Amino acid sequence: MNSNSGYKAFLSDQDVRWCPGCDDYIILRAFARALAAIGLPPERHVVVSGIGCASRLPYYVNTYGLHGIHGRAPAIATGVKLVHPDLYVWVITGDGDALAIGTNHFLHAIRRNLDINILLFNNEIYGLTKGQFSPTSRLDLKTRSSPQGNIQPPFHIGSLVLGADVSFFARVPGNDLNAMTKVFVEAARHKGTSVVEILQNCPVFNDGVFHPVTDKSTAVDHALWVEHGRPLIYGKDGKRGIVRDGCGLRPIRWESEQPPSEVMVHDEKVDNPSYAFALTQLSDPMVFGIIRRMRRPTYEERSQALKQKVAQSAIVHDFIRKAILQENT
Amino acid sequence: MSQLPSNSSTESSVTRIVLHIAGDSGDGIQFAGKQLTIASAHRGYAVITMPNFPAEIRAPKGSLYGVSGFQMHVGSTDIHTPGDTIDVLVAFNAAALKKALPDIPEGKIILADEDGFNPSNLKKAGFTSNPLTDGTLDNYQLITAPISKLTRQALIQTGIHSKLTQRSRNMFVLGMILWMFDLSLEETIAQLQQRFKDVPEIAQANIAALKAGWNYAETVELLQPLHLPIQENENTNAGQYTIAHGYEACVWGLLAAHKEAKRPLFFASYPITPSSDILQYIGNFLSEDVEVFQAEDEIAAIASAIGASFAGAIGTTSTSGPGFALKSEALGLAVMTELPLVVIDAQRAGPSTGMPTKTEQSDLLQALYGRNGEAPLIVLAASTPANCLEYAYWAVKLALEHITPVVLLIDAYLIMGAQRLEASALKKLPPIAPHIVSEDTTEYAPYLRNPNTLARYWAFPPMQGKMHRIGGLEKEDVSGHVSYDPENHHKMVQLRRQKVERVQQVIPPLQTEFADTGELLVLGWGSTYGSIKAAVQYLYEKGHAIGHAHLHFLHPFPKNTEQILRKFDKIVVCELNDGQLHRVLQSTFPGMKFWKYNKIQGIPFKEHELIEAFQKILTSEYSPVQHNSSS
């Protein structure tokens, strides 16, 4: 991958204004590197965002960019993509933007399987409005709007998008430049809606919330990286793995040299979303990597097919053909 | 009432007739009405039609609230409204008669299907005895026929399945009406063959019923043919004219502008009464560069249209009152980003859900001011079903040439109404030159402006070297970079206002009809055009110096508006709301006195109520007491 060189051409001349120590800086760099790796000129990319800390990102990349209104980025991106199906359209959003005020548009874009890439910065808190709990904040979390503790159970993002039959879902830590770059490129290459959940640490309002799964010292025993065709094995000693458990999955440990035969092998292409759903339900280990990637018709493909059908079958009055559509038939 | 105009009579001098067909919502009333409209236009008559649907989807048969009505004003002279009162009523059942009776002056024709007046139907309609036989209708020209029975017999003779007979009743009646109006069957038969080309059995049944109705009317001599003189200059050449419903004309206007501007058309909407017809109809025109998107909600509809505009298309959306409210925030984004966008609002009676199928002009202030911050945009209003084409076209033209959002106001009455539209109307449309940045611009600044119009230059992906980032945050003049600078914000607010005001330089001047100076100017906007014109014409012909001006450009106003207003001693503003334009005029032209005449009943003005109101104003001294419709 040549993403280490040339990515600076994708950064704009604007001062980046996130808090010191925020993962957003790393995500921005990974994004610019991914754009460089894709290898297309910057005018082929459109970056659309809503409102929130993450949504400032379009100003910092040298592409076409539209900073929209709260929660509506997937809807705005839909219009861009339908006019120009050959453009790469990116939605930059956060847990408040995509899962509170904009849940509707977020899920409908996924349902339609529009070929867009949604990068969801999940920091489990409202940052820009300064520290209220969000739809992904954990129970009992004390925030400025829940001084006695949060009583609203959180969404599991992966489970939610799988309910809308997402065709690409990946999870990455917001501090892992290389992993993010790689997954962003795969998301772009995927035909259909790609959702990438980025666990992004907010150093000001929710510091350390992902520490066990994103810090190198602890992640090895609490994070499971999946890869298509590889067994679900993790742990310092490689003696931890995932097996089936009724309708779900559960972690096991073993002492023998060889892993038990019931340890599962990752398959990102299964049609039935239950397996991917079970992976997203695990919290220890937390699953990272491309959890689901399968092909189903995109909205644009269906629209194209429909247009051909309409061209053949629509009954259009002579008056309209001649006077309005200026056809000579 | 005797001094007021009556639409017609059955005398030989009759030049126009108001026909009303009514029955159950499953009786095919609207379909029969549509065929009748086409046949009338083909003959060379002027027509304006208006359906009246029940709010219920499938209301119980024979019920008063299940009555579906279709009204057509047809004739050889200028026709401006679907008609105040009914000259010929065709009633399929007792409920239909009950609902229409108050609108039929004595002496007029009532044609009733006696099979629709059985005891059960009479009871549902609230009749204690049968009005067809108890003398209730002695002062009308009553014609009754067992239409259901006759249709059945006619179809049995042709060997057609009996299930189709009840549904073909509308065609039997249509046959009778066509005979009565001296219209030929050919056009209708051709239409039926085309419409039912995949189900020949239904085509055959409908045609058989149609012919049977025609023959019955000719044979029984119950009816007298009504001969309307044909207007010489009416074009009957198919392809040169068509019947346009307001929703169709809106779509054609968008399509014509798209062809002229040579930009892709993107239309997104969410179903809402009464604007859904536009969404349903435009789907017929999908093509490589026409995209139609039914969104998950009102907000997604406008947001996707904004995305489409950012990507270089003509972003358009349609809605009605409550949906228009939901679009407010996104409309503000379009104002801030200065993107071309067209929002069509088919107004209905509000507030909130209000009366969804009823007409009103009460979204004007929302269109003008209903956003946070200083958010000016262009507001237009169509005034007839046919000129929805012209103003939808203008909406796109102004959006693309000034790179700014435009709201087009129509309403329930315009969207459902229909009239003739001549192909020649399209030839009068002005050219459209989208304000796109020139290719050889090397240093693109998104908020650099055209010095004349103050419009910014439109650039979109994948144009090379024109990449830019815009959004809802305040931006620095010219560069478009995010800016919180106080002086810059003040300047940008004023620039956005001035840009919209300068549209005044390119829009047509306000016109007056009838007197262009004198005693009273009647000022209206939107769908009230026809009723106001008819009323003003009547008083003008009686010798009053009364004029009519109708605003199609509501923001900004045409340049000569004040000049026109000052030519009259009195001005009355007529609206189907509680005085919204009146309020705007008072603040725009302080010191001028405006009378107002308002009606907020969900229904259009009647010609005669306007005549009475104008007569009062003509003879009154100015008084602070406002005239309002009451009744």
Side-chain angles (χ1 to χ4, degrees):
Chain A
M1 184 176 304
N2 64 353
S3 55
N4 293 329
S5 59
Y7 78 89
K8 285 189 175 151
F10 283 90
L11 293 173
S12 76
D13 58 355
Q14 295 296 291
D15 288 340
V16 181
R17 298 186 199 178
W18 283 310
C19 305
C22 181
D23 278 354
D24 287 1
Y25 287 94
I26 310 172
I27 302 169
L28 172 62
R29 195 132 58 91
F31 183 54
R33 282 171 56 171
L35 294 180
I38 290 163
L40 287 172
E43 66 267 14
R44 311 286 301 172
H45 293 276
V46 180
V47 185
V48 182
S49 66
I51 296 292
C53 294
S55 294
R56 288 294 188 99
L57 186 137
Y59 291 113
Y60 307 141
V61 284
N62 186 28
T63 64
Y64 280 96
L66 185 51
H67 180 208
I69 43 177
H70 205 10
R72 320 301 171 200
I76 295 171
T78 299
V80 175
K81 186 69 185 181
L82 293 183
V83 171
H84 278 299
D86 53 339
L87 294 177
Y88 278 74
V89 179
W90 300 85
V91 170
I92 306 296
T93 185
D95 44 308
D97 197 50
L99 298 170
I101 197 165
T103 322
N104 196 25
H105 314 303
F106 176 64
L107 290 178
H108 283 281
I110 295 168
R111 169 176 74 89
R112 296 183 185 112
N113 202 30
L114 211 73
D115 185 15
I116 58 174
N117 314 304
I118 303 176
L119 306 187
L120 200 168
F121 296 28
N122 179 18
N123 56 12
E124 300 189 358
I125 198 81
Y126 283 95
L128 197 66
T129 51
K130 302 186 176 60
Q132 301 81 8
F133 67 89
S134 89
T136 55
S137 295
R138 292 168 204 187
L139 279 170
D140 304 325
L141 184 73
K142 288 187 176 167
T143 69
R144 292 177 73 195
S145 59
S146 59
Q148 305 303 321
N150 173 29
I151 56 167
Q152 300 190 15
F155 272 138
H156 293 276
I157 295 175
S159 306
L160 188 71
V161 299
L162 281 160
D165 209 10
V166 70
S167 59
F168 182 107
F169 175 69
R171 187 189 283 137
V172 286
N175 59 358
D176 191 334
L177 180 67
N178 290 330
M180 283 193 287
T181 308
K182 207 173 141 200
V183 165
F184 294 169
V185 172
E186 292 305 313
R189 289 195 176 134
H190 173 69
K191 276 251 165 235
T193 306
S194 313
V195 176
V196 181
E197 178 190 2
I198 304 162
L199 301 188
Q200 174 241 323
N201 186 50
C202 172
V204 177
F205 296 110
N206 208 10
D207 194 26
V209 67
F210 303 119
H211 190 274
V213 294
T214 58
D215 190 83
K216 288 215 161 53
S217 62
T218 47
V220 66
D221 281 334
H222 299 287
L224 164 61
W225 281 85
V226 295
E227 206 176 317
H228 185 66
R230 304 285 295 262
L232 301 178
I233 294 178
Y234 67 107
K236 218 177 340 233
D237 52 2
K239 291 185 188 299
R240 294 165 189 250
I242 302 295
V243 298
R244 218 178 273 287
D245 180 33
C247 294
L249 301 173
R250 78 183 152 89
I252 58 160
R253 297 186 67 160
W254 59 86
E255 297 303 328
S256 57
E257 274 306 305
Q258 291 301 312
S261 60
E262 63 263 38
V263 168
M264 297 186 67
V265 171
H266 183 52
D267 182 353
E268 59 189 28
K269 298 186 195 324
V270 234
D271 266 359
N272 187 325
S274 313
Y275 160 69
F277 185 89
L279 283 179
T280 62
Q281 289 279 307
L282 293 170
S283 54
D284 187 12
M286 174 75 75
V287 178
F288 290 96
I290 297 166
I291 292 171
R292 190 183 208 213
R293 170 163 50 183
M294 46 84 82
R295 186 76 169 95
R296 64 183 178 92
T298 63
Y299 184 89
E300 303 90 293
E301 287 164 346
R302 291 185 198 276
S303 167
Q304 207 52 40
L306 186 68
K307 284 176 176 179
Q308 277 160 17
K309 210 158 103 187
V310 167
Q312 289 155 10
S313 69
I315 302 167
V316 178
H317 193 286
D318 253 11
F319 172 86
I320 300 155
R321 280 204 195 291
K322 287 178 190 149
I324 292 159
L325 301 176
Q326 301 163 14
E327 288 172 11
N328 299 318
T329 50
Chain B
M1 289 288 289
S2 60
Q3 82 278 16
L4 300 178
S6 83
N7 316 103
S8 72
S9 66
T10 51
E11 296 151 23
S12 57
S13 64
V14 60
T15 56
R16 48 191 181 132
I17 288 174
V18 177
L19 170 83
H20 189 97
I21 317 173
D24 271 326
S25 52
D27 281 342
I29 304 291
Q30 305 304 330
F31 182 69
K34 188 178 173 191
Q35 298 310 319
L36 180 61
T37 311
I38 292 170
S40 304
H42 189 69
R43 182 84 161 86
Y45 295 144
V47 282
I48 291 189
T49 68
M50 192 57 188
N52 191 358
F53 309 111
E56 288 74 16
I57 308 299
R58 286 281 179 271
K61 278 192 166 183
S63 64
L64 281 167
Y65 54 88
V67 172
S68 171
F70 177 88
Q71 188 155 314
M72 177 173 88
H73 196 172
V74 55
S76 61
T77 51
D78 268 359
I79 284 175
H80 312 304
T81 72
D84 280 11
T85 59
I86 298 167
D87 299 312
V88 179
L89 171 73
V90 181
F92 277 60
N93 63 26
L97 174 71
K98 180 89 173 193
K99 276 193 82 169
L101 204 50
D103 293 325
I104 315 172
E106 292 192 347
K108 302 298 183 184
I109 301 170
I110 295 171
L111 169 61
D113 178 2
E114 55 189 52
D115 296 336
F117 288 73
N118 59 35
S120 157
N121 277 354
L122 290 170
K123 199 175 154 208
K124 282 185 213 165
F127 286 114
T128 47
S129 62
N130 190 341
L132 302 184
T133 52
D134 68 4
T136 305
L137 304 176
D138 279 354
N139 295 328
Y140 300 86
Q141 302 181 51
L142 176 65
I143 303 150
T144 61
I147 289 169
S148 300
K149 206 172 296 157
L150 290 166
T151 310
R152 197 154 49 238
Q153 282 166 359
L155 295 198
I156 285 167
Q157 283 166 9
T158 60
I160 291 165
H161 196 274
S162 66
K163 236 172 82 180
L164 295 171
T165 59
Q166 190 64 13
R167 282 198 236 142
S168 302
R169 206 157 59 123
N170 59 343
M171 290 298 110
F172 189 96
V173 169
L174 179 60
M176 292 175 76
I177 300 170
L178 290 174
W179 182 86
M180 205 188 336
F181 279 66
D182 196 19
L183 297 167
S184 87
L185 290 178
E186 288 158 32
E187 181 67 17
T188 308
I189 291 172
Q191 290 280 336
L192 290 171
Q193 279 165 341
Q194 168 69 18
R195 171 77 167 74
F196 297 111
K197 65 172 191 263
D198 298 330
V199 270
E201 200 192 22
I202 294 180
Q204 203 190 340
N206 275 321
I207 292 166
L210 182 79
K211 286 180 175 167
W214 168 282
N215 292 336
Y216 177 78
E218 191 175 43
T219 312
V220 296
E221 294 181 350
L222 287 171
L223 298 163
Q224 286 190 341
L226 304 162
H227 294 290
L228 295 171
I230 308 289
Q231 213 173 348
E232 289 300 319
N233 58 2
E234 287 289 356
N235 202 333
T236 59
N237 186 1
Q240 290 305 304
Y241 77 93
T242 190
I243 296 296
H245 288 86
Y247 67 88
E248 293 168 318
C250 283
V251 170
W252 299 339
L254 297 180
L255 288 168
H258 143 71
K259 285 282 169 191
E260 165 67 20
K262 300 188 172 55
R263 294 307 314 157
L265 177 66
F266 179 89
F267 176 89
S269 188
Y270 182 75
I272 184 168
T273 301
S275 76
S276 305
D277 283 329
I278 298 175
L279 168 65
Q280 289 158 208
Y281 182 63
I282 198 170
N284 292 308
F285 300 96
L286 280 182
S287 74
E288 267 317 301
D289 51 6
V290 176
E291 185 72 42
V292 176
F293 177 62
Q294 179 173 320
E296 60 271 24
D297 61 24
E298 294 283 355
I299 298 169
I302 186 170
S304 59
I306 290 171
S309 294
F310 181 72
I314 308 163
T316 61
T317 181
S318 66
T319 189
S320 293
F324 190 46
L326 282 167
K327 291 185 193 299
S328 303
E329 188 199 11
L331 207 43
L333 176 67
V335 169
M336 194 59 153
T337 50
E338 303 189 44
L339 282 167
L341 178 78
V342 173
V343 180
I344 302 176
D345 174 25
Q347 302 166 95
R348 64 188 218 189
S352 189
T353 311
M355 302 193 286
T357 56
K358 301 294 174 190
T359 205
E360 206 162 272
Q361 299 183 299
S362 48
D363 293 350
L364 175 63
L365 294 179
Q366 189 184 353
L368 291 172
Y369 310 121
R371 289 164 294 285
N372 63 306
E374 302 287 350
L377 43 68
I378 300 168
V379 181
L380 312 184
S383 61
T384 66
N387 78 15
C388 285
L389 188 156
E390 184 182 343
Y391 290 99
Y393 183 97
W394 264 97
V396 175
K397 174 182 163 70
L398 294 177
L400 294 182
E401 292 182 347
H402 299 264
I403 313 298
T404 193
V406 179
V407 172
L408 171 62
L409 294 172
I410 56 173
D411 61 26
Y413 174 82
L414 285 182
I415 206 164
M416 294 189 287
Q419 67 183 143
R420 280 179 64 109
L421 170 70
E422 310 298 323
S424 56
L426 283 136
K427 299 208 173 70
K428 293 179 199 142
L429 297 173
I432 299 178
H435 196 244
I436 299 174
V437 66
S438 86
E439 232 174 279
D440 44 13
T441 302
T442 47
E443 295 285 309
Y444 176 67
Y447 287 85
L448 184 70
R449 291 170 194 278
N450 178 311
N452 296 322
T453 62
L454 297 180
R456 72 181 193 93
Y457 295 86
W458 194 21
F460 38 81
M463 282 182 179
Q464 275 182 28
K466 311 282 190 295
M467 277 104 60
H468 59 281
R469 276 69 56 192
I470 58 175
L473 290 172
E474 183 58 284
K475 44 199 56 62
E476 187 180 76
D477 188 22
V478 183
S479 78
H481 296 324
V482 174
S483 167
Y484 286 64
D485 179 73
E487 295 298 325
N488 177 74
H489 177 53
H490 193 96
K491 182 178 184 188
M492 290 299 275
V493 166
Q494 293 192 326
L495 279 170
R496 288 187 287 263
R497 173 173 54 77
Q498 288 161 4
K499 176 190 67 177
V500 172
E501 284 169 356
R502 287 197 189 183
V503 169
Q504 225 178 32
Q505 308 299 324
V506 300
I507 59 176
L510 183 61
Q511 309 274 357
T512 44
E513 291 186 88
F514 310 106
D516 53 14
T517 173
E519 298 171 82
L520 178 64
L521 176 70
V522 183
L523 190 60
W525 67 279
S527 68
T528 55
Y529 176 79
S531 351
I532 294 177
K533 180 172 179 172
V536 172
Q537 182 170 11
Y538 174 82
L539 291 169
Y540 178 74
E541 284 167 2
K542 292 269 171 202
H544 290 284
I546 182 170
H548 175 204
H550 216 72
L551 284 163
H552 294 94
F553 295 84
L554 291 153
H555 191 70
F557 286 138
K559 245 191 311 196
N560 65 335
T561 304
E562 182 167 359
Q563 194 190 332
I564 296 272
L565 300 180
R566 293 206 180 276
K567 287 183 178 169
F568 291 85
D569 301 337
K570 292 173 182 166
I571 303 159
V572 58
V573 184
C574 297
E575 300 175 84
L576 300 172
N577 59 32
D578 206 14
Q580 299 197 4
L581 177 64
H582 182 263
R583 189 179 295 238
V584 175
L585 289 166
Q586 278 186 320
S587 62
T588 311
F589 306 106
M592 293 183 78
K593 287 170 181 170
F594 297 93
W595 299 58
K596 62 176 182 175
Y597 185 76
N598 301 88
K599 175 166 171 174
I600 323 156
Q601 302 172 358
I603 50 173
F605 286 126
K606 301 237 184 226
E607 199 175 315
H608 68 80
E609 70 178 301
L610 290 179
I611 292 171
E612 282 167 14
F614 301 159
Q615 277 172 332
K616 272 189 205 160
I617 296 168
L618 280 163
T619 55
S620 307
E621 289 302 308
Y622 179 80
S623 110
V625 179
Q626 306 295 357
H627 287 252
N628 277 281
S629 173
S630 58
S631 73

